[in-house]
Amino acid sequence: MAKGENEMDIKKLLRYTMQLAMLKQLLTKKLIDENEYSLIQKRLMKDYGIVSNITA
């Protein structure tokens, strides 16, 4: 893998992680419910090409 590709993967993973953290805050503050959280999390995983939920 080229260095540029690796940096892009790291940035992509960082964006995914940040969005997941924000999503968890919404759940914690009860602004969304468990079902909404799950649906959005699955969509984020699809959008970012994440195949395993290591946070479960």
Side-chain angles (χ1 to χ4, degrees), residues 17-32 34 37 40-41 44 55:
T17 303
M18 289 171 58
Q19 288 189 358
L20 199 59
M22 287 184 245
L23 183 63
K24 187 68 173 177
Q25 284 184 354
L26 292 174
L27 180 63
T28 301
K29 293 179 180 187
K30 300 196 184 315
L31 298 173
I32 61 173
E34 288 281 346
Y37 176 86
I40 297 168
Q41 181 187 28
L44 285 173
T55 62

Side-chain angles (χ1 to χ4, degrees), residues 4-49:
E5 290 177 13
N6 191 31
E7 288 176 12
M8 289 301 290
D9 287 346
I10 291 170
K11 287 180 182 181
K12 187 176 171 184
L13 184 58
L14 181 58
R15 280 194 307 266
Y16 168 74
T17 303
M18 289 171 58
Q19 288 189 358
L20 199 59
M22 287 184 245
L23 183 63
K24 187 68 173 177
Q25 284 184 354
L26 292 174
L27 180 63
T28 301
K29 293 179 180 187
K30 300 196 184 315
L31 298 173
I32 61 173
D33 61 28
E34 288 281 346
N35 187 47
E36 291 170 312
Y37 176 86
S38 179
L39 288 171
I40 297 168
Q41 181 187 28
K42 286 176 186 173
R43 178 60 193 258
L44 285 173
M45 289 175 71
K46 180 180 176 187
D47 288 350
Y48 284 92

